[in-house]
PDB file of all heavy atoms in Angstrom:
ATOM      1  N   ALA Q 107     -69.429 -44.852  23.543  1.00 90.00           N
ATOM      2  CA  ALA Q 107     -70.470 -45.211  24.507  1.00 90.00           C
ATOM      3  C   ALA Q 107     -70.766 -44.023  25.412  1.00 90.00           C
ATOM      4  O   ALA Q 107     -71.923 -43.720  25.707  1.00 90.00           O
ATOM      5  CB  ALA Q 107     -70.032 -46.418  25.324  1.00 90.00           C
ATOM      6  N   GLN Q 108     -69.695 -43.351  25.837  1.00 89.00           N
ATOM      7  CA  GLN Q 108     -69.859 -42.207  26.726  1.00 89.00           C
ATOM      8  C   GLN Q 108     -70.645 -41.080  26.058  1.00 89.00           C
ATOM      9  O   GLN Q 108     -71.464 -40.427  26.682  1.00 89.00           O
ATOM     10  CB  GLN Q 108     -68.473 -41.679  27.107  1.00 89.00           C
ATOM     11  CG  GLN Q 108     -68.302 -41.468  28.582  1.00 89.00           C
ATOM     12  CD  GLN Q 108     -66.839 -41.495  28.941  1.00 89.00           C
ATOM     13  OE1 GLN Q 108     -66.003 -40.922  28.234  1.00 89.00           O
ATOM     14  NE2 GLN Q 108     -66.503 -42.165  30.027  1.00 89.00           N
ATOM     15  N   LEU Q 109     -70.362 -40.890  24.786  1.00 91.00           N
ATOM     16  CA  LEU Q 109     -71.057 -39.846  24.036  1.00 91.00           C
ATOM     17  C   LEU Q 109     -72.411 -40.324  23.548  1.00 91.00           C
ATOM     18  O   LEU Q 109     -73.090 -39.619  22.813  1.00 91.00           O
ATOM     19  CB  LEU Q 109     -70.213 -39.410  22.839  1.00 91.00           C
ATOM     20  CG  LEU Q 109     -68.938 -38.656  23.167  1.00 91.00           C
ATOM     21  CD1 LEU Q 109     -68.058 -38.545  21.945  1.00 91.00           C
ATOM     22  CD2 LEU Q 109     -69.295 -37.276  23.693  1.00 91.00           C
ATOM     23  N   ASN Q 110     -72.747 -41.544  23.931  1.00 92.00           N
ATOM     24  CA  ASN Q 110     -74.045 -42.063  23.546  1.00 92.00           C
ATOM     25  C   ASN Q 110     -74.178 -42.279  22.042  1.00 92.00           C
ATOM     26  O   ASN Q 110     -75.251 -42.094  21.474  1.00 92.00           O
ATOM     27  CB  ASN Q 110     -75.139 -41.102  24.013  1.00 92.00           C
ATOM     28  CG  ASN Q 110     -76.152 -41.855  24.829  1.00 92.00           C
ATOM     29  OD1 ASN Q 110     -76.530 -42.960  24.412  1.00 92.00           O
ATOM     30  ND2 ASN Q 110     -76.545 -41.299  25.953  1.00 92.00           N
ATOM     31  N   VAL Q 111     -73.088 -42.617  21.414  1.00 95.00           N
ATOM     32  CA  VAL Q 111     -73.111 -42.898  19.983  1.00 95.00           C
ATOM     33  C   VAL Q 111     -73.090 -44.410  19.781  1.00 95.00           C
ATOM     34  O   VAL Q 111     -72.113 -45.062  20.120  1.00 95.00           O
ATOM     35  CB  VAL Q 111     -71.893 -42.274  19.270  1.00 95.00           C
ATOM     36  CG1 VAL Q 111     -71.856 -42.674  17.812  1.00 95.00           C
ATOM     37  CG2 VAL Q 111     -71.912 -40.764  19.417  1.00 95.00           C
ATOM     38  N   PRO Q 112     -74.182 -44.958  19.281  1.00 96.00           N
ATOM     39  CA  PRO Q 112     -74.245 -46.400  19.066  1.00 96.00           C
ATOM     40  C   PRO Q 112     -73.179 -46.880  18.096  1.00 96.00           C
ATOM     41  O   PRO Q 112     -72.938 -46.232  17.076  1.00 96.00           O
ATOM     42  CB  PRO Q 112     -75.633 -46.612  18.445  1.00 96.00           C
ATOM     43  CG  PRO Q 112     -76.406 -45.391  18.773  1.00 96.00           C
ATOM     44  CD  PRO Q 112     -75.419 -44.287  18.868  1.00 96.00           C
ATOM     45  N   VAL Q 113     -72.550 -47.984  18.437  1.00 96.00           N
ATOM     46  CA  VAL Q 113     -71.542 -48.561  17.557  1.00 96.00           C
ATOM     47  C   VAL Q 113     -71.916 -50.006  17.263  1.00 96.00           C
ATOM     48  O   VAL Q 113     -72.236 -50.760  18.176  1.00 96.00           O
ATOM     49  CB  VAL Q 113     -70.146 -48.532  18.214  1.00 96.00           C
ATOM     50  CG1 VAL Q 113     -69.131 -49.234  17.335  1.00 96.00           C
ATOM     51  CG2 VAL Q 113     -69.712 -47.111  18.491  1.00 96.00           C
ATOM     52  N   VAL Q 114     -71.905 -50.352  16.000  1.00 96.00           N
ATOM     53  CA  VAL Q 114     -72.081 -51.755  15.644  1.00 96.00           C
ATOM     54  C   VAL Q 114     -70.793 -52.239  14.998  1.00 96.00           C
ATOM     55  O   VAL Q 114     -70.266 -51.603  14.082  1.00 96.00           O
ATOM     56  CB  VAL Q 114     -73.246 -51.960  14.661  1.00 96.00           C
ATOM     57  CG1 VAL Q 114     -73.289 -53.396  14.182  1.00 96.00           C
ATOM     58  CG2 VAL Q 114     -74.558 -51.613  15.322  1.00 96.00           C
ATOM     59  N   LEU Q 115     -70.278 -53.322  15.503  1.00 94.00           N
ATOM     60  CA  LEU Q 115     -69.054 -53.884  14.947  1.00 94.00           C
ATOM     61  C   LEU Q 115     -69.420 -55.082  14.091  1.00 94.00           C
ATOM     62  O   LEU Q 115     -70.177 -55.951  14.510  1.00 94.00           O
ATOM     63  CB  LEU Q 115     -68.127 -54.322  16.076  1.00 94.00           C
ATOM     64  CG  LEU Q 115     -67.691 -53.193  17.012  1.00 94.00           C
ATOM     65  CD1 LEU Q 115     -66.915 -53.757  18.193  1.00 94.00           C
ATOM     66  CD2 LEU Q 115     -66.841 -52.193  16.259  1.00 94.00           C
ATOM     67  N   ILE Q 116     -68.895 -55.093  12.872  1.00 94.00           N
ATOM     68  CA  ILE Q 116     -69.188 -56.223  12.003  1.00 94.00           C
ATOM     69  C   ILE Q 116     -67.968 -57.124  11.922  1.00 94.00           C
ATOM     70  O   ILE Q 116     -66.893 -56.694  11.498  1.00 94.00           O
ATOM     71  CB  ILE Q 116     -69.584 -55.733  10.605  1.00 94.00           C
ATOM     72  CG1 ILE Q 116     -70.711 -54.708  10.741  1.00 94.00           C
ATOM     73  CG2 ILE Q 116     -69.971 -56.901   9.715  1.00 94.00           C
ATOM     74  CD1 ILE Q 116     -71.712 -54.725   9.670  1.00 94.00           C
ATOM     75  N   ASN Q 117     -68.125 -58.323  12.361  1.00 92.00           N
ATOM     76  CA  ASN Q 117     -67.034 -59.283  12.358  1.00 92.00           C
ATOM     77  C   ASN Q 117     -65.764 -58.772  13.034  1.00 92.00           C
ATOM     78  O   ASN Q 117     -64.655 -59.025  12.563  1.00 92.00           O
ATOM     79  CB  ASN Q 117     -66.718 -59.726  10.926  1.00 92.00           C
ATOM     80  CG  ASN Q 117     -67.710 -60.772  10.439  1.00 92.00           C
ATOM     81  OD1 ASN Q 117     -68.216 -61.552  11.236  1.00 92.00           O
ATOM     82  ND2 ASN Q 117     -67.991 -60.765   9.164  1.00 92.00           N
ATOM     83  N   ARG Q 118     -65.941 -58.044  14.100  1.00 88.00           N
ATOM     84  CA  ARG Q 118     -64.791 -57.602  14.889  1.00 88.00           C
ATOM     85  C   ARG Q 118     -64.722 -58.456  16.147  1.00 88.00           C
ATOM     86  O   ARG Q 118     -65.662 -59.150  16.495  1.00 88.00           O
ATOM     87  CB  ARG Q 118     -64.907 -56.133  15.285  1.00 88.00           C
ATOM     88  CG  ARG Q 118     -64.985 -55.153  14.142  1.00 88.00           C
ATOM     89  CD  ARG Q 118     -63.731 -55.130  13.312  1.00 88.00           C
ATOM     90  NE  ARG Q 118     -63.897 -55.964  12.116  1.00 88.00           N
ATOM     91  CZ  ARG Q 118     -62.908 -56.297  11.313  1.00 88.00           C
ATOM     92  NH1 ARG Q 118     -61.686 -55.889  11.556  1.00 88.00           N
ATOM     93  NH2 ARG Q 118     -63.130 -57.050  10.259  1.00 88.00           N
ATOM     94  N   ASN Q 119     -63.635 -58.292  16.827  1.00 82.00           N
ATOM     95  CA  ASN Q 119     -63.411 -59.063  18.042  1.00 82.00           C
ATOM     96  C   ASN Q 119     -64.598 -58.993  19.016  1.00 82.00           C
ATOM     97  O   ASN Q 119     -65.015 -57.931  19.418  1.00 82.00           O
ATOM     98  CB  ASN Q 119     -62.168 -58.505  18.728  1.00 82.00           C
ATOM     99  CG  ASN Q 119     -61.656 -59.457  19.769  1.00 82.00           C
ATOM    100  OD1 ASN Q 119     -62.448 -60.211  20.349  1.00 82.00           O
ATOM    101  ND2 ASN Q 119     -60.374 -59.451  19.983  1.00 82.00           N
ATOM    102  N   VAL Q 120     -65.105 -60.134  19.393  1.00 81.00           N
ATOM    103  CA  VAL Q 120     -66.262 -60.146  20.287  1.00 81.00           C
ATOM    104  C   VAL Q 120     -65.964 -59.650  21.684  1.00 81.00           C
ATOM    105  O   VAL Q 120     -66.871 -59.313  22.431  1.00 81.00           O
ATOM    106  CB  VAL Q 120     -66.867 -61.552  20.429  1.00 81.00           C
ATOM    107  CG1 VAL Q 120     -67.811 -61.839  19.302  1.00 81.00           C
ATOM    108  CG2 VAL Q 120     -65.803 -62.597  20.561  1.00 81.00           C
ATOM    109  N   ALA Q 121     -64.701 -59.636  22.039  1.00 80.00           N
ATOM    110  CA  ALA Q 121     -64.345 -59.263  23.407  1.00 80.00           C
ATOM    111  C   ALA Q 121     -64.731 -57.815  23.716  1.00 80.00           C
ATOM    112  O   ALA Q 121     -64.833 -57.419  24.854  1.00 80.00           O
ATOM    113  CB  ALA Q 121     -62.852 -59.448  23.639  1.00 80.00           C
ATOM    114  N   LEU Q 122     -64.957 -57.017  22.675  1.00 82.00           N
ATOM    115  CA  LEU Q 122     -65.264 -55.615  22.898  1.00 82.00           C
ATOM    116  C   LEU Q 122     -66.677 -55.430  23.443  1.00 82.00           C
ATOM    117  O   LEU Q 122     -67.659 -55.613  22.743  1.00 82.00           O
ATOM    118  CB  LEU Q 122     -65.106 -54.821  21.606  1.00 82.00           C
ATOM    119  CG  LEU Q 122     -63.672 -54.576  21.144  1.00 82.00           C
ATOM    120  CD1 LEU Q 122     -63.662 -53.866  19.815  1.00 82.00           C
ATOM    121  CD2 LEU Q 122     -62.910 -53.784  22.189  1.00 82.00           C
ATOM    122  N   GLU Q 123     -66.736 -55.004  24.681  1.00 86.00           N
ATOM    123  CA  GLU Q 123     -68.040 -54.688  25.255  1.00 86.00           C
ATOM    124  C   GLU Q 123     -68.411 -53.260  24.871  1.00 86.00           C
ATOM    125  O   GLU Q 123     -67.594 -52.529  24.348  1.00 86.00           O
ATOM    126  CB  GLU Q 123     -67.998 -54.857  26.770  1.00 86.00           C
ATOM    127  CG  GLU Q 123     -68.345 -56.268  27.229  1.00 86.00           C
ATOM    128  CD  GLU Q 123     -69.626 -56.805  26.579  1.00 86.00           C
ATOM    129  OE1 GLU Q 123     -70.602 -56.047  26.495  1.00 86.00           O
ATOM    130  OE2 GLU Q 123     -69.619 -57.981  26.154  1.00 86.00           O
TER     131      GLU Q 123
END
Side-chain angles (χ1 to χ4, degrees):
Chain Q
Q108 229 157 42
L109 291 168
N110 234 316
V111 175
V113 175
V114 173
L115 299 173
I116 307 215
N117 281 329
R118 300 296 98 191
N119 195 331
V120 276
L122 287 176
E123 271 311 317

